Amino acid sequence: MGGRTREYCILFSFLTLLALSSAFQGKKQYKPCKRLVLYFHDIIYNGKNAANATSAIVAAPEGANLTILAGQFHFGNIAVFDDPITLDNNLHSKPVGRAQGLYVYDTKNTFTAWLGFAFVLNSTDHQGTINFLGADPILAKRRDISIVGGTGDFFMHRGVATIMTDAFEGEVYFRLRVHIKFYECW
Amino acid sequence: MGGRTREYCILFSFLTLLALSSAFQGKKQYKPCKRLVLYFHDIIYNGKNAANATSAIVAAPEGANLTILAGQFHFGNIAVFDDPITLDNNLHSKPVGRAQGLYVYDTKNTFTAWLGFAFVLNSTDHQGTINFLGADPILAKRRDISIVGGTGDFFMHRGVATIMTDAFEGEVYFRLRVHIKFYECW
Amino acid sequence: MGGRTREYCILFSFLTLLALSSAFQGKKQYKPCKRLVLYFHDIIYNGKNAANATSAIVAAPEGANLTILAGQFHFGNIAVFDDPITLDNNLHSKPVGRAQGLYVYDTKNTFTAWLGFAFVLNSTDHQGTINFLGADPILAKRRDISIVGGTGDFFMHRGVATIMTDAFEGEVYFRLRVHIKFYECW
């Protein structure tokens, strides 16, 4: 019947609409399209540990030197790092890549940092880079920074990374747990 | 009738097409999906104002020191800052957050800077961070930088920020007006 | 006939679905929506070339100075640059803009850098800025960094840039070829 057919037709149009709109919303979903949990390990150069150190203070405000983090919550220190990335929290595990870039201590009355760095991954599982940027209120248990781009396996990806301080030994070693959540995958 | 029904069918398909394609284009519209106007205030450390200063020169080219901006349009100076953000242009208004990161003077024959910083907002209206990156031709009345990501209330946002120098007092204080326009909201 | 019409109807729905889903995927295509090939030229300040230099070392780890790149693969050096951008590989061609920002040498046992900079284009062809971020394994023939935003003609653009070292003269001059591929154009 014409009438019945028309109903089918309307039904099909609606289903089409529904399927597409869900696909459409699905693109920018709030559930990550890809996840990774990685650790990186930072050993700060203190004038005596040249062989082991993976980072160095390279800038400081007037009156501070470069072998010890500045007073006033290290305000003004910039450190450059090349830290091993591991799959678990063991510094001696086989690295799957390097975390490279800088952190900048940027508050006078508490510990916070501005981070600009890349994960350069080079393992059987992942080949490519992930670019991070953001404010790090170090003393908070969890803090989120932005993932603003990527290359290789992470071509054009965007997302958010949740950072936790997994260990902290004096002012020489710290280890960060990075939970990477991509919300735009290509 | 079969013929009439077919026409309806075509019509429905077209309407579906139309509705979806407009929704589709609507996602990346050129009208901001969210706007904010905020001010931040920078007081540069000059060796005498440790209590008030909100930023410090931490790097400079050979021959320059860290208590006065370098000659040649401050070329090569990197300053780290932790500046209060206010809703109006009054330095003494209650801050709604902090602007944290660095600016880099990067031209020898005029005033320009490269900016990498975050707005860390913590007020009843906004909780979250906004990540900025871009070239700042300081002497231009308006200049645009990129908003490359965000967290919290600004989860995954992208946009453009228009900066204006709202006040400038010698080489110790400046205030920027930041018109934030998000074009990708989540 | 009702049956035939229904078939048409299904067919139309499918075609609609097909057309839209291809439009949908087309947005995030893997073929660039815009391409540019540009060169930039970096002359590092060495204490003697103040007139010609376009970049300067402004930060270094303890024990290094600022007129010569640090030992250990320059680890810890930060250089600020304001480099001319040209359409071909000739340093003396008319610049179409400036590459401005910083590079950070970030490995102790090979040459790698972290890059944060902007292309500020100002020519008859292009007006606007492009923001780059990424890890640069300098010795690799081709390496990809992220394009995380833009303004003006490059409003909200994202993409990937492939960098090649086009020339390298001692530790004073280098020239990079930058193949810009935008995958999100607005």
Side-chain angles (χ1 to χ4, degrees):
Chain A
M1 304 288 287
R4 179 91 72 97
T5 311
R6 199 184 307 154
E7 279 158 24
Y8 275 119
C9 183
I10 293 168
L11 186 65
F12 272 110
S13 295
F14 265 103
L15 287 179
T16 308
L17 193 68
L18 214 69
L20 277 165
S21 74
S22 76
F24 177 69
Q25 291 172 349
K27 198 192 67 69
K28 283 207 171 170
Q29 60 201 353
Y30 292 79
K31 213 169 65 178
C33 43
K34 206 181 284 178
R35 286 170 185 272
L36 280 173
V37 175
L38 295 167
Y39 294 81
F40 72 95
H41 308 262
D42 192 85
I43 302 168
I44 304 167
Y45 178 61
N46 63 4
K48 298 165 208 153
N49 58 352
N52 292 334
T54 64
S55 72
I57 305 167
V58 301
E62 187 62 20
N65 72 47
L66 302 176
T67 53
I68 186 164
L69 287 163
Q72 288 204 301
F73 299 90
H74 316 334
F75 181 68
N77 274 143
I78 299 181
V80 173
F81 61 95
D82 169 38
D83 292 349
I85 300 169
T86 56
L87 295 174
D88 60 20
N89 65 3
N90 187 340
L91 170 59
H92 303 293
S93 295
K94 186 177 157 56
V96 294
R98 310 293 292 188
Q100 301 182 323
L102 43 82
Y103 51 84
V104 179
Y105 286 99
D106 57 9
T107 313
K108 288 197 298 182
N109 55 6
T110 183
F111 289 106
T112 70
W114 181 81
L115 307 176
F117 66 98
F119 270 15
V120 181
L121 296 175
N122 188 7
S123 71
T124 43
D125 285 337
H126 302 290
Q127 294 278 342
T129 68
I130 306 171
N131 287 308
F132 300 86
L133 210 62
D136 180 2
I138 298 171
L139 301 181
K141 191 172 183 209
R142 293 158 188 275
R143 49 271 191 195
D144 284 345
I145 61 171
S146 292
I147 299 171
V148 297
T151 66
D153 289 353
F154 310 101
F155 173 77
M156 291 289 289
H157 285 40
R158 290 181 72 231
V160 166
T162 301
I163 291 179
M164 296 172 72
T165 303
D166 197 56
F168 190 79
E169 294 170 12
E171 300 204 329
V172 171
Y173 173 76
F174 65 78
R175 176 173 68 235
L176 298 184
R177 179 186 186 275
V178 184
H179 186 175
I180 293 168
K181 286 158 281 185
F182 292 111
Y183 295 94
E184 276 192 31
C185 299
W186 279 58
Chain B
M1 304 291 287
R4 179 93 72 97
T5 311
R6 198 185 307 156
E7 279 159 25
Y8 275 119
C9 182
I10 293 169
L11 187 66
F12 272 110
S13 295
F14 265 102
L15 287 178
T16 308
L17 192 68
L18 215 67
L20 277 166
S21 75
S22 75
F24 177 69
Q25 291 173 349
K27 197 192 68 69
K28 282 207 170 168
Q29 62 203 351
Y30 291 79
K31 213 170 64 178
C33 44
K34 205 181 285 178
R35 284 170 186 273
L36 280 173
V37 176
L38 295 166
Y39 294 80
F40 71 95
H41 308 260
D42 191 85
I43 301 168
I44 304 167
Y45 177 60
N46 63 5
K48 297 165 206 153
N49 58 352
N52 292 333
T54 63
S55 72
I57 306 167
V58 301
E62 186 62 20
N65 72 47
L66 301 175
T67 54
I68 186 164
L69 288 162
Q72 287 204 303
F73 300 91
H74 316 335
F75 180 69
N77 274 143
I78 299 181
V80 172
F81 61 94
D82 169 38
D83 292 348
I85 300 170
T86 56
L87 295 174
D88 60 20
N89 65 3
N90 187 340
L91 170 61
H92 303 293
S93 296
K94 185 177 159 57
V96 293
R98 310 294 295 188
Q100 300 181 324
L102 43 84
Y103 51 86
V104 179
Y105 286 99
D106 58 9
T107 312
K108 287 197 298 182
N109 55 5
T110 184
F111 290 105
T112 70
W114 181 81
L115 307 176
F117 66 97
F119 270 16
V120 181
L121 295 175
N122 188 7
S123 71
T124 43
D125 285 338
H126 301 290
Q127 295 277 343
T129 69
I130 306 171
N131 287 309
F132 301 85
L133 211 60
D136 179 2
I138 297 172
L139 301 181
K141 192 172 182 212
R142 293 159 189 276
R143 49 272 188 194
D144 283 346
I145 61 172
S146 292
I147 300 170
V148 298
T151 66
D153 290 353
F154 310 101
F155 173 77
M156 290 290 288
H157 284 40
R158 290 182 72 231
V160 167
T162 302
I163 292 179
M164 298 172 70
T165 303
D166 196 56
F168 189 80
E169 294 170 12
E171 301 204 328
V172 171
Y173 173 76
F174 65 77
R175 177 171 69 236
L176 297 184
R177 179 186 186 274
V178 185
H179 186 174
I180 293 168
K181 287 158 282 185
F182 292 111
Y183 296 93
E184 276 193 30
C185 299
W186 280 59
Chain C
M1 301 290 289
R4 179 94 70 99
T5 310
R6 199 185 306 156
E7 280 160 24
Y8 274 118
C9 184
I10 293 168
L11 187 66
F12 271 110
S13 294
F14 265 101
L15 287 178
T16 308
L17 192 69
L18 214 67
L20 278 165
S21 75
S22 76
F24 177 69
Q25 292 172 347
K27 197 192 67 69
K28 283 208 171 168
Q29 61 202 354
Y30 292 78
K31 214 170 63 179
C33 44
K34 206 182 281 178
R35 283 170 186 273
L36 280 173
V37 176
L38 295 166
Y39 295 79
F40 71 96
H41 308 261
D42 192 85
I43 302 168
I44 304 167
Y45 178 60
N46 63 5
K48 297 164 206 153
N49 59 352
N52 292 333
T54 65
S55 72
I57 305 166
V58 302
E62 187 61 21
N65 73 47
L66 301 176
T67 54
I68 186 165
L69 288 162
Q72 286 204 302
F73 300 91
H74 315 335
F75 180 68
N77 273 143
I78 299 182
V80 172
F81 61 94
D82 169 38
D83 292 348
I85 300 169
T86 57
L87 295 174
D88 60 21
N89 65 4
N90 187 339
L91 170 60
H92 303 292
S93 295
K94 185 177 158 58
V96 295
R98 309 295 292 189
Q100 300 182 324
L102 43 81
Y103 50 85
V104 179
Y105 287 99
D106 57 9
T107 313
K108 287 197 298 183
N109 55 7
T110 183
F111 290 106
T112 69
W114 181 81
L115 307 176
F117 66 98
F119 270 17
V120 182
L121 296 174
N122 188 8
S123 70
T124 44
D125 284 338
H126 302 290
Q127 296 276 343
T129 69
I130 306 170
N131 287 309
F132 301 86
L133 211 61
D136 180 2
I138 298 172
L139 301 181
K141 192 172 183 211
R142 294 157 188 276
R143 50 269 190 195
D144 284 346
I145 60 172
S146 292
I147 300 171
V148 297
T151 66
D153 290 354
F154 309 101
F155 173 77
M156 290 289 288
H157 284 40
R158 290 181 72 231
V160 167
T162 302
I163 291 180
M164 297 172 70
T165 303
D166 197 55
F168 190 78
E169 295 171 9
E171 300 205 327
V172 171
Y173 173 76
F174 65 77
R175 177 172 68 235
L176 297 184
R177 180 185 185 275
V178 184
H179 186 175
I180 293 168
K181 286 158 282 185
F182 292 112
Y183 295 93
E184 275 193 31
C185 299
W186 280 59

